[in-house]
Amino acid sequence: MASVVPESKEILCLFDVDGTVTPARSVVTPEMKAFMKELRKKVTVALVSGSDFPKVQEQMGNENVTNLYDYVFSENGLVAYKNGELIHKQSIIKFMGDERLKTFINFCLKYIAELDLPVKRGTFIEFRNGMINVSPIGRNCSQEERIAFYEYDKVHKVRDKFVSVLREKFEDYGLQLSIGGQISFDVFPKGWDKTYCLRHIEVDNYKEIHFFGDKCYEGGNDYEIYMDERTRGHIVTSPEDTMNQLKEIFSMS
């Protein structure tokens, strides 16, 4: 039998992390941390990120993030915590198998090798539990290089072109490719976007699920969950905008 949510917690607010709760690839501010603590007194609060759990933990201030929020979903919910306990874990290896993974990764590395970018650094492929993260510049770039690539990518569409090639080349692999953040894109089985996390929430019968994200455009990694009929989507432009919208919705000072 499905559980019933206490009356004071019948509304759930679900947040993307990067660019929504924290500045892009930066740590949450003390102001936002305090604000989210107050919000949790009013509603149930959940985080969902495409990043792996250690990165979420780092961005949220290196505290035990599973004790700060009611739900924490890393890798779009493929690794899921509820009330501090691990409740779900899924693996892309089981879905694809090593041979297909190797073929896909080899192709990406060859493609990146032939890209002529202003700079390249290390860690072009990051293998996570439920997805592959691909970065043309390399995830080891500095913050300044990250910003510079992001501006370069806006003009030259490096990631858009890369994703387009992969979709055509591996159309029979059942993969979804989603551009997020500033320097990379995520690759995962279809249906393993951020809507995946909703299966862990629905069992608690919330009256409303509000989703807040900054990449809600088509192709962005918040798009599917923003458009999902089970959520009320809110587009934000920064953590400050997130706070301002929440203050208005829930009459917070």
Side-chain angles (χ1 to χ4, degrees):
M1 184 175 178
S3 58
V4 178
V5 181
E7 187 174 345
S8 62
K9 294 279 189 170
E10 289 183 340
I11 296 174
L12 183 140
C13 287
L14 176 61
F15 298 91
D16 163 57
V17 176
D18 201 51
T20 300
V21 174
T22 76
R25 287 309 302 146
S26 296
V27 178
V28 65
T29 64
E31 181 187 10
M32 175 59 90
K33 189 181 292 186
F35 183 86
M36 296 291 272
K37 185 176 181 180
E38 289 302 308
L39 179 67
R40 197 178 174 200
K41 294 176 182 178
K42 288 178 168 285
V43 299
T44 303
V45 178
L47 302 178
V48 57
S49 173
S51 296
D52 59 22
F53 185 79
K55 282 191 175 63
V56 175
Q57 185 102 315
E58 177 189 346
Q59 281 193 267
M60 298 310 294
N62 278 321
E63 291 187 55
N64 188 344
V65 68
T66 64
N67 289 335
L68 295 176
Y69 303 95
D70 299 285
Y71 301 86
V72 177
F73 304 121
S74 59
E75 301 184 51
N76 293 345
L78 297 172
V79 179
Y81 288 86
K82 177 182 178 181
N83 298 327
E85 295 184 4
L86 180 67
I87 60 171
H88 182 81
K89 191 171 185 178
Q90 178 59 282
S91 168
I92 195 171
I93 297 176
K94 294 178 184 177
F95 178 85
M96 290 183 70
D98 280 320
E99 280 303 311
R100 280 193 160 193
L101 270 175
K102 182 175 68 175
T103 300
F104 183 86
I105 290 172
N106 284 346
F107 183 89
C108 287
L109 290 173
K110 289 177 182 176
Y111 185 96
I112 291 170
E114 296 175 359
L115 282 175
D116 184 16
L117 300 177
V119 299
K120 286 184 181 177
R121 298 297 180 248
T123 313
F124 301 100
I125 305 287
E126 185 174 81
F127 185 81
R128 300 174 184 171
N129 184 66
M131 68 175 66
I132 301 165
N133 182 264
V134 182
S135 175
I137 186 177
R139 298 195 64 86
N140 290 351
C141 62
S142 67
Q143 182 66 20
E144 292 76 17
E145 290 164 342
R146 170 186 289 270
I147 294 169
F149 174 81
Y150 184 55
E151 296 302 321
Y152 181 88
D153 190 43
K154 286 180 182 178
V155 177
H156 298 278
K157 306 294 182 184
V158 177
R159 290 183 292 174
D160 284 339
K161 293 173 184 176
F162 198 165
V163 163
S164 180
V165 169
L166 291 173
R167 282 179 179 149
E168 182 176 352
K169 176 73 175 177
F170 298 99
E171 62 179 347
D172 61 334
Y173 271 38
L175 296 174
Q176 189 165 327
L177 296 96
S178 181
I179 297 171
Q182 295 175 306
I183 62 168
S184 65
F185 58 88
D186 295 328
V187 182
F188 45 87
K190 288 181 179 177
W192 288 20
D193 52 59
K194 284 181 180 174
T195 60
Y196 189 97
C197 77
L198 296 178
R199 65 187 66 191
H200 310 308
I201 294 171
E202 288 181 311
V203 294
D204 286 329
N205 294 325
Y206 291 98
K207 284 187 175 181
E208 298 176 11
I209 299 174
H210 293 260
F211 172 75
F212 298 81
D214 67 321
K215 298 290 192 301
C216 299
Y217 51 83
E218 190 168 4
N221 63 358
D222 296 325
Y223 177 75
E224 290 82 7
I225 194 166
Y226 171 77
M227 294 295 293
D228 196 283
E229 62 182 12
R230 292 168 290 181
T231 68
R232 296 188 180 187
H234 305 270
I235 302 173
V236 302
T237 57
S238 66
E240 291 74 23
D241 185 35
T242 301
M243 282 193 283
N244 289 335
Q245 290 196 36
L246 287 165
K247 288 175 183 177
E248 185 173 344
I249 295 169
F250 297 109
S251 302
M252 298 175 67
S253 57

